[in-house]
Amino acid sequence: MSDIHFFKTMPISSPRSYPKRIAVVGDLGLTYNTTSTISHLQKNNPDLILLVGDVTYANLYLTNGTGADCYSCSFPQTPIHETYEPRWDFWGRYMQPLISKVPIMVVEGNHELELQAENKSFVSYSSRFAFPSEESGSPSTFFYSFNAGGIHFVMLGAYIDYKKTGAQYKWLKRDLADVDRSVTPWLVATWHAPWYSTYKAHYREAECMKVEMEELLYSYGVDLVFNGHVHAYERSNRVYNYSLDPCGPVYITVGDGGNREKMAINHADEPGQCPDPLSTPDEIMGGFCAYNFTSGPANGQFCWDRQPDYSAYRESSFGHGILEVKNDTHALWTWHRNQDLYDTPGDQIYIVREPERCFAPRRVVKARKYLY
């Protein structure tokens, strides 16, 4: 029998009740950098952990334990493309001292795809974590919602149908409509691949998801969005449709937990770094939606020629973030870099809600695509 484990449940849903610290981390894996990230994270004593996809990178390992880019690439003729499940077990044992005491909520990343027999995918992800899908009216482990004190979290799937005609979009619309902002003033959304990232790696890769869903999230006044996928840190100003907007969400990318695929360093706005548009569609979901901008500083171009206005801070370092919601209008966000002492902020800012100015839900004036 195992030891007895216990954890503290989330505070009741109330505009005056919040978890003290929420750790946000993405693209963890199990590397030297992972151990540094988790060590720093533990010292910050979080009450809740959000893991924004790419959990173990088990799909980059063969079943005999040797490394490879992917199992199906190395053995394309095998009938069963199984993943290295012992890697999941090892990751679980490593994380046990933390996640046996602190609740963890997870959303899937592209490395959880893990195509297996009978074309089954995301099996380990869906089997190894608990999801409040039924409680939040979702038919899937890919998208669900939950409350933590006065925060309503919406966890979305970037690798399942996100079109307006699909089940996820219809569920999201119902879920957002049911949020009582007098009870849960803060509305936070999470999915894996970022919509607003200035790095060359995965540049505008999730544009089709953005085209389908951004207006809906904006119309209901989402305050914060957390993403991973890009292996670096970036925080945006409040933004909507690539324009600075005081009522848009703040987007934060934290795909720098550890991984095993190196850091993202080059920015798409640097000379010679703008990728070929045809190279940008997501390999899993497909579709091409990232057209040239139609106005503003990047008019007629696929990339900006300088750091975009919406990009407030960016840095290629491993680390994690801590969100501390103070009350119904103020939250402190701190990004901790692995190379610093655990209590030394690499980036820190107060995020302020203005409900009187940005009352939600509100009518959205439909804009042309990609206006600034």
Side-chain angles (χ1 to χ4, degrees):
M1 298 294 291
S2 72
D3 295 333
I4 296 175
H5 301 287
F6 61 91
F7 65 94
K8 184 170 68 173
T9 57
M10 291 297 98
I12 62 171
S13 296
S14 163
R16 293 175 295 277
S17 180
Y18 300 94
K20 188 174 181 181
R21 292 186 184 91
I22 301 170
V24 188
V25 65
D27 301 68
L28 264 180
L30 193 53
T31 66
Y32 173 82
N33 293 299
T34 309
T35 61
S36 181
T37 298
I38 296 302
S39 175
H40 282 68
L41 189 154
Q42 285 178 299
K43 290 177 181 178
N44 277 316
N45 297 314
D47 298 310
L48 173 66
I49 302 169
L50 294 183
L51 177 48
V52 296
D54 283 0
V55 180
T56 68
Y57 291 82
N59 68 321
L60 298 186
Y61 294 83
L62 303 183
T63 51
N64 65 0
T66 58
D69 289 336
C70 68
Y71 187 91
S72 58
C73 302
S74 300
F75 302 98
Q77 304 305 318
T78 54
I80 299 178
H81 292 165
E82 61 181 337
T83 56
Y84 187 40
E85 291 299 334
R87 194 73 183 176
W88 277 94
D89 296 337
F90 190 30
W91 184 89
R93 288 192 293 271
Y94 170 75
M95 292 290 288
Q96 179 174 310
L98 174 62
I99 61 178
S100 63
K101 299 176 182 177
V102 183
I104 184 170
M105 304 302 288
V106 184
V107 72
E108 91 287 350
N110 55 299
H111 283 281
E112 278 72 72
L113 174 65
E114 298 180 348
L115 189 62
Q116 300 191 31
E118 300 177 354
N119 287 323
K120 291 183 179 180
S121 58
F122 296 98
V123 176
S124 296
Y125 160 80
S126 296
S127 302
R128 290 174 178 263
F129 298 100
F131 305 93
S133 300
E134 182 178 350
E135 294 85 345
S136 58
S138 169
S140 171
T141 59
F142 289 85
F143 51 92
Y144 60 93
S145 65
F146 66 96
N147 290 345
I151 312 168
H152 184 74
F153 286 95
V154 177
M155 314 290 277
L156 300 178
Y159 303 104
I160 192 172
D161 184 11
Y162 41 66
K163 293 182 180 177
K164 292 181 174 65
T165 56
Q168 178 174 208
Y169 187 93
K170 293 177 181 177
W171 168 84
L172 176 60
K173 192 172 183 180
R174 292 194 303 269
D175 186 82
L176 293 175
D178 288 341
V179 176
D180 185 347
R181 301 300 283 270
S182 68
V183 178
T184 53
W186 288 86
L187 183 50
V188 177
T190 293
W191 61 90
H192 186 57
W195 296 348
Y196 289 96
S197 171
T198 63
Y199 287 87
K200 180 179 180 180
H202 306 298
Y203 180 68
R204 299 178 71 180
E205 183 180 292
E207 196 87 0
C208 288
M209 184 183 181
K210 176 181 178 296
V211 168
E212 295 289 334
M213 288 187 160
E214 184 179 25
E215 183 180 313
L216 180 61
L217 295 180
Y218 176 79
S219 68
Y220 278 94
V222 169
D223 299 297
L224 266 168
V225 173
F226 291 112
N227 304 117
H229 198 45
V230 176
H231 297 159
Y233 173 77
E234 186 164 16
R235 171 177 55 82
S236 81
N237 294 305
R238 289 190 176 273
V239 60
Y240 170 65
N241 200 31
Y242 287 108
S243 301
L244 296 179
D245 189 311
C247 299
V250 173
Y251 291 80
I252 298 177
T253 298
V254 287
D256 54 355
N259 73 74
R260 53 155 286 178
E261 298 177 314
K262 302 179 182 179
M263 294 296 304
I265 297 174
N266 297 321
H267 301 108
D269 51 83
E270 294 172 339
Q273 296 300 324
C274 185
D276 183 338
L278 295 180
S279 70
T280 59
D282 180 74
E283 295 180 357
I284 296 175
M285 298 303 293
F288 183 81
C289 302
Y291 298 98
N292 285 355
F293 294 100
T294 57
S295 63
N299 184 21
Q301 304 175 86
F302 190 68
C303 302
W304 292 56
D305 55 9
R306 56 176 173 79
Q307 184 172 358
D309 296 338
Y310 65 79
S311 176
Y313 185 87
R314 58 191 185 183
E315 184 176 342
S316 299
S317 295
F318 290 101
H320 75 284
I322 295 290
L323 178 67
E324 301 172 75
V325 178
K326 304 297 185 180
N327 52 45
D328 61 348
T329 58
H330 287 70
L332 179 65
W333 166 256
T334 307
W335 176 56
H336 295 270
R337 308 185 307 174
N338 285 0
Q339 63 263 42
D340 297 328
L341 296 174
Y342 78 91
D343 57 352
T344 302
D347 178 38
Q348 189 172 61
I349 187 173
Y350 267 101
I351 297 169
V352 181
R353 296 182 62 248
E354 298 183 278
E356 301 83 5
R357 182 180 190 180
C358 307
F359 181 77
R362 60 185 182 275
R363 182 175 176 270
V364 176
V365 178
K366 205 170 183 68
R368 290 170 57 202
K369 279 186 180 179
Y370 315 129
L371 282 177
Y372 291 82

